[in-house]
Amino acid sequence: MKSIVKIAFFSLLCVSSLSAQQKDFKGYLFAYFEGKGPGEKQEQLRFAVSDDAVNWKALNNNEPVVASKDISNTGGIRDPHILRSADGNSFYMTATDMNTKKNGWDYNPGIVLMHSNNLLDWKSSVIDLEKLYPTKFKDIKWVWAPQTFYDTKAKKYLVYFTVRFKYNEKLDFYCAYANKDFSGFEQEPKLMFSPKDGAIDGDIIYKDGVYHFFYKGNTKDENGKEIKNGIKQAKSKKLQGPWKESFEYLDYYADKKTGVEGSSVFKLNNSDEYILMYDLYSSGRYEFQRSKDLYHFTDKTESFTKDFFPRHGSVIGITTEEAIRLQEKWGGIPQSLLTAKDGTFQFKAEGNPIIKHKFTADPAAFVEKDTLWLFTGHDFEGGQKGYKLKDWLVFSTTDLKNWTEYQVPLKIEDFKWDKTNDAYAGQTIKRNGKYYWYISTNGSGIGVAVADKPQGPYKDAIGKPLLTNADCFASTHSWTCIDPAVFIDDDGQAWLFWGNGVCYYAKLKENMIEIDGVIKKIDFKGLQFTEAPWVHKKNGKYYLSYASGFPEKIAYAMADNIEGPYEYKGILNEIAGNSNTNHQAILDFKGKPYFIYHNGAIQTNGSSYSRSVCIDKLEYNNDGTIKRVVMTTEGVTK
């Protein structure tokens, strides 16, 4: 299989060098071919990644990562096996050169060898045994499931595979050392292991002085009829044998009607536990059993969760740096594998929503020097049936394309006085070298947290609410004290706006943690205020934007004084797709105005309760009024 990488879990699976073993593996890479979808796309190399070796996510939207036509003679590959090199810095992959969708199962004489230094770019070659070694392999029928193992004594990579000849139904394992550039064999392959009743899908792993050879075997009666099959094991003190075959079956299904194949064993990262996984090819499942000694495996099977339909593949461990490379090339890597040692996570915005790896809502932002800092709420997960927010998030960018996410800076549990456990909308601002984050809860009030850096960490600044429902004199419902918005005017006076149903405002003292004077409310003709106030100033005019109606649109008004009187100017933003709520931030960044909001557009799990932040352009008319925002999927990054 020309450009295929079968993943033999990581260097500890093989006898690898110390440098490879010392790598800090954070996750797992699964190389496989697909078992569903259009036939011409199935026998192609694909990758998936997991942070726990159980829950898997396909890369590249489950499209091929290397096209079979570029690496194989037949136009198809099967059984990819991937191996990390002995020094830990490069990768080898083998695969069956076979296109059953096009040519059927009758004949395939070749395998694919691949080599990469980065997991992204692969050099490949095809070995056709019948053409290269016409005497020994003249009447070959099948060359199946090649794998690679590093021989520490020979300091070479041994490729082994199953062979069947046309004149004999017996399936045996042959092997040969690869040449230095992993493009061919040093010599003609020779017989390595001949199991009593034949075998396919071999996988070798070394532990405590013993080579363990796992494979799919069978049992035949005195007439040569197969009566049982499943995963077997043979053992040897030497890599090329002789092998002592065990006639016991290891897999859970050996005594059942369900067939299994494609067994592969890998060691869990930072653990003494091994996984024996196999393909339940007739029922479309992938399951596994566990072991600590490679002799005794758990009786009960466990299942992978996945968003793809894998066939015979293999697994290796990967580092954070490798996960980042894979993410940049193909996407789909879990965020847990992309987080750097300092807790940051780098990602690129590709249109709207700008953040797709988690659900974000209620944006607020400010600009400091050449950096835009974005603060959001965090809808707990996708497909929710109600609002569930437990913490707040912070991001930064210098170009609106490349973003950094920081460690969670603030959680609702940081406010000990809160009784609701609901982390509602907030806004952050800088003053006197400190950063103040005004947050709201679902009934306990508005709080304020403080930090020395915009990314935090933040802590409760006063140990009690800054405002409660008791301060909302014109309201009677319990969720009125929400959505704080802070603004510092040109004269240095800080103002706080908030509310649901009624728009309240008040001055803040210089210390930013006390209300200064009387609490008032905004009222003007056409107000129809629901929530989410935001105040900004441009060319001497004050703009009050807010969510109006339900489902919510964003409306706005203008005034010559921050306390009004305000004049209603109309709708600024229509109902945001798939979201009843609408919440905005408006600011200039590097000379251009922007409108930041959320919608429920991430499919299939986006909704009014699983929202996502977006950014689009904002445009002013010559008279200072604002043009209605055009919400786009392209956003501002194209």
Short mmCIF file of all heavy atoms in Angstrom, two decimals, residues 536-561:
data_model
loop_
_atom_site.label_atom_id
_atom_site.label_comp_id
_atom_site.label_asym_id
_atom_site.label_seq_id
_atom_site.Cartn_x
_atom_site.Cartn_y
_atom_site.Cartn_z
N HIS A 536 -20.79 52.29 23.05
CA HIS A 536 -19.53 52.71 22.45
C HIS A 536 -19.68 54.15 21.95
O HIS A 536 -20.80 54.68 21.84
CB HIS A 536 -19.08 51.77 21.33
CG HIS A 536 -19.83 51.92 20.04
ND1 HIS A 536 -21.09 51.38 19.83
CD2 HIS A 536 -19.49 52.53 18.86
CE1 HIS A 536 -21.50 51.63 18.59
NE2 HIS A 536 -20.54 52.35 17.99
N LYS A 537 -18.56 54.78 21.66
CA LYS A 537 -18.56 56.19 21.29
C LYS A 537 -17.73 56.36 20.02
O LYS A 537 -16.68 55.75 19.85
CB LYS A 537 -17.95 57.02 22.43
CG LYS A 537 -18.03 58.53 22.24
CD LYS A 537 -17.47 59.23 23.48
CE LYS A 537 -17.61 60.75 23.39
NZ LYS A 537 -17.04 61.41 24.59
N LYS A 538 -18.25 57.19 19.11
CA LYS A 538 -17.53 57.45 17.87
C LYS A 538 -17.86 58.85 17.39
O LYS A 538 -19.04 59.23 17.30
CB LYS A 538 -17.91 56.41 16.80
CG LYS A 538 -17.01 56.45 15.56
CD LYS A 538 -17.39 55.31 14.62
CE LYS A 538 -16.45 55.23 13.41
NZ LYS A 538 -15.10 54.76 13.78
N ASN A 539 -16.81 59.62 17.11
CA ASN A 539 -16.96 61.00 16.60
C ASN A 539 -17.89 61.83 17.48
O ASN A 539 -18.74 62.58 17.00
CB ASN A 539 -17.47 60.99 15.16
CG ASN A 539 -16.49 60.31 14.21
OD1 ASN A 539 -15.27 60.37 14.42
ND2 ASN A 539 -17.00 59.69 13.17
N GLY A 540 -17.74 61.68 18.79
CA GLY A 540 -18.51 62.48 19.74
C GLY A 540 -19.91 61.99 20.00
O GLY A 540 -20.62 62.58 20.83
N LYS A 541 -20.35 60.94 19.34
CA LYS A 541 -21.70 60.41 19.52
C LYS A 541 -21.65 59.14 20.38
O LYS A 541 -20.73 58.33 20.26
CB LYS A 541 -22.34 60.07 18.17
CG LYS A 541 -22.55 61.27 17.26
CD LYS A 541 -23.67 62.17 17.78
CE LYS A 541 -23.97 63.28 16.79
NZ LYS A 541 -25.08 64.16 17.27
N TYR A 542 -22.67 58.99 21.23
CA TYR A 542 -22.80 57.79 22.05
C TYR A 542 -23.80 56.84 21.39
O TYR A 542 -24.87 57.27 20.94
CB TYR A 542 -23.28 58.15 23.46
CG TYR A 542 -22.29 58.98 24.23
CD1 TYR A 542 -22.29 60.38 24.12
CD2 TYR A 542 -21.35 58.38 25.08
CE1 TYR A 542 -21.37 61.15 24.83
CE2 TYR A 542 -20.44 59.15 25.79
CZ TYR A 542 -20.45 60.53 25.65
OH TYR A 542 -19.55 61.30 26.35
N TYR A 543 -23.42 55.58 21.36
CA TYR A 543 -24.28 54.57 20.75
C TYR A 543 -24.65 53.55 21.83
O TYR A 543 -23.77 52.95 22.47
CB TYR A 543 -23.54 53.85 19.62
CG TYR A 543 -23.21 54.72 18.44
CD1 TYR A 543 -22.12 55.58 18.48
CD2 TYR A 543 -23.99 54.69 17.28
CE1 TYR A 543 -21.80 56.40 17.39
CE2 TYR A 543 -23.68 55.49 16.19
CZ TYR A 543 -22.59 56.34 16.25
OH TYR A 543 -22.29 57.14 15.17
N LEU A 544 -25.94 53.35 22.02
CA LEU A 544 -26.45 52.31 22.90
C LEU A 544 -27.11 51.25 22.04
O LEU A 544 -28.15 51.50 21.42
CB LEU A 544 -27.46 52.88 23.90
CG LEU A 544 -28.20 51.85 24.76
CD1 LEU A 544 -27.26 51.09 25.67
CD2 LEU A 544 -29.32 52.52 25.56
N SER A 545 -26.47 50.08 21.97
CA SER A 545 -27.07 48.96 21.24
C SER A 545 -27.55 47.93 22.25
O SER A 545 -27.02 47.85 23.37
CB SER A 545 -26.08 48.35 20.25
OG SER A 545 -24.85 48.01 20.89
N TYR A 546 -28.56 47.13 21.84
CA TYR A 546 -29.16 46.21 22.80
C TYR A 546 -30.00 45.17 22.06
O TYR A 546 -30.40 45.36 20.90
CB TYR A 546 -30.03 46.97 23.80
CG TYR A 546 -31.08 47.84 23.13
CD1 TYR A 546 -32.36 47.35 22.87
CD2 TYR A 546 -30.78 49.15 22.76
CE1 TYR A 546 -33.30 48.14 22.24
CE2 TYR A 546 -31.72 49.95 22.13
CZ TYR A 546 -32.98 49.44 21.88
OH TYR A 546 -33.92 50.22 21.24
N ALA A 547 -30.26 44.05 22.75
CA ALA A 547 -31.14 43.03 22.19
C ALA A 547 -32.58 43.46 22.39
O ALA A 547 -32.97 43.95 23.45
CB ALA A 547 -30.89 41.70 22.88
N SER A 548 -33.39 43.27 21.32
CA SER A 548 -34.78 43.73 21.34
C SER A 548 -35.70 42.61 20.85
O SER A 548 -35.39 41.92 19.87
CB SER A 548 -34.92 44.95 20.44
OG SER A 548 -36.25 45.42 20.44
N GLY A 549 -36.83 42.44 21.54
CA GLY A 549 -37.80 41.43 21.14
C GLY A 549 -37.34 40.04 21.51
O GLY A 549 -36.36 39.84 22.23
N PHE A 550 -38.11 39.05 21.02
CA PHE A 550 -37.73 37.65 21.23
C PHE A 550 -38.45 36.79 20.20
O PHE A 550 -39.68 36.82 20.15
CB PHE A 550 -38.08 37.18 22.65
CG PHE A 550 -37.36 35.92 23.04
CD1 PHE A 550 -36.06 35.98 23.54
CD2 PHE A 550 -37.98 34.68 22.89
CE1 PHE A 550 -35.39 34.81 23.89
CE2 PHE A 550 -37.31 33.52 23.24
CZ PHE A 550 -36.02 33.58 23.74
N PRO A 551 -37.72 36.04 19.35
CA PRO A 551 -36.27 35.96 19.26
C PRO A 551 -35.65 37.35 19.07
O PRO A 551 -36.28 38.23 18.49
CB PRO A 551 -36.01 35.07 18.06
CG PRO A 551 -37.29 34.30 17.86
CD PRO A 551 -38.38 35.22 18.30
N GLU A 552 -34.42 37.49 19.54
CA GLU A 552 -33.85 38.82 19.66
C GLU A 552 -33.17 39.32 18.39
O GLU A 552 -32.46 38.57 17.70
CB GLU A 552 -32.82 38.83 20.80
CG GLU A 552 -33.45 38.56 22.15
CD GLU A 552 -32.43 38.40 23.26
OE1 GLU A 552 -31.22 38.31 22.95
OE2 GLU A 552 -32.84 38.36 24.43
N LYS A 553 -33.41 40.60 18.10
CA LYS A 553 -32.63 41.34 17.14
C LYS A 553 -31.80 42.35 17.91
O LYS A 553 -32.06 42.61 19.09
CB LYS A 553 -33.53 42.07 16.15
CG LYS A 553 -34.48 41.17 15.38
CD LYS A 553 -35.39 41.98 14.46
CE LYS A 553 -36.35 41.06 13.71
NZ LYS A 553 -37.25 41.83 12.80
N ILE A 554 -30.80 42.94 17.28
CA ILE A 554 -30.03 44.00 17.91
C ILE A 554 -30.50 45.34 17.35
O ILE A 554 -30.45 45.56 16.13
CB ILE A 554 -28.51 43.84 17.70
CG1 ILE A 554 -28.04 42.53 18.31
CG2 ILE A 554 -27.76 45.04 18.30
CD1 ILE A 554 -28.22 42.42 19.81
N ALA A 555 -30.97 46.19 18.24
CA ALA A 555 -31.38 47.55 17.88
C ALA A 555 -30.36 48.53 18.44
O ALA A 555 -29.49 48.15 19.24
CB ALA A 555 -32.77 47.84 18.43
N TYR A 556 -30.45 49.82 18.04
CA TYR A 556 -29.53 50.80 18.62
C TYR A 556 -30.16 52.19 18.62
O TYR A 556 -31.11 52.47 17.89
CB TYR A 556 -28.20 50.80 17.87
CG TYR A 556 -28.17 51.59 16.58
CD1 TYR A 556 -27.50 52.82 16.52
CD2 TYR A 556 -28.79 51.12 15.43
CE1 TYR A 556 -27.46 53.55 15.32
CE2 TYR A 556 -28.73 51.81 14.24
CZ TYR A 556 -28.07 53.04 14.19
OH TYR A 556 -28.03 53.76 13.02
N ALA A 557 -29.59 53.01 19.49
CA ALA A 557 -30.01 54.41 19.61
C ALA A 557 -28.76 55.26 19.75
O ALA A 557 -27.67 54.76 20.06
CB ALA A 557 -30.92 54.58 20.83
N MET A 558 -28.91 56.58 19.51
CA MET A 558 -27.76 57.51 19.58
C MET A 558 -28.10 58.68 20.48
O MET A 558 -29.26 59.05 20.65
CB MET A 558 -27.41 58.02 18.17
CG MET A 558 -26.91 56.95 17.22
SD MET A 558 -26.67 57.55 15.52
CE MET A 558 -25.41 58.82 15.78
N ALA A 559 -27.04 59.27 21.06
CA ALA A 559 -27.23 60.43 21.93
C ALA A 559 -25.96 61.28 21.90
O ALA A 559 -24.88 60.82 21.50
CB ALA A 559 -27.53 59.99 23.36
N ASP A 560 -26.11 62.55 22.35
CA ASP A 560 -24.96 63.45 22.46
C ASP A 560 -24.36 63.41 23.85
O ASP A 560 -23.27 63.95 24.08
CB ASP A 560 -25.38 64.88 22.14
CG ASP A 560 -25.79 65.06 20.68
OD1 ASP A 560 -25.15 64.42 19.81
OD2 ASP A 560 -26.77 65.79 20.42
N ASN A 561 -25.05 62.75 24.77
CA ASN A 561 -24.60 62.61 26.15
C ASN A 561 -24.82 61.16 26.56
O ASN A 561 -25.80 60.53 26.15
CB ASN A 561 -25.40 63.55 27.07
CG ASN A 561 -24.87 63.56 28.48
OD1 ASN A 561 -25.03 62.58 29.22
ND2 ASN A 561 -24.23 64.64 28.87
#
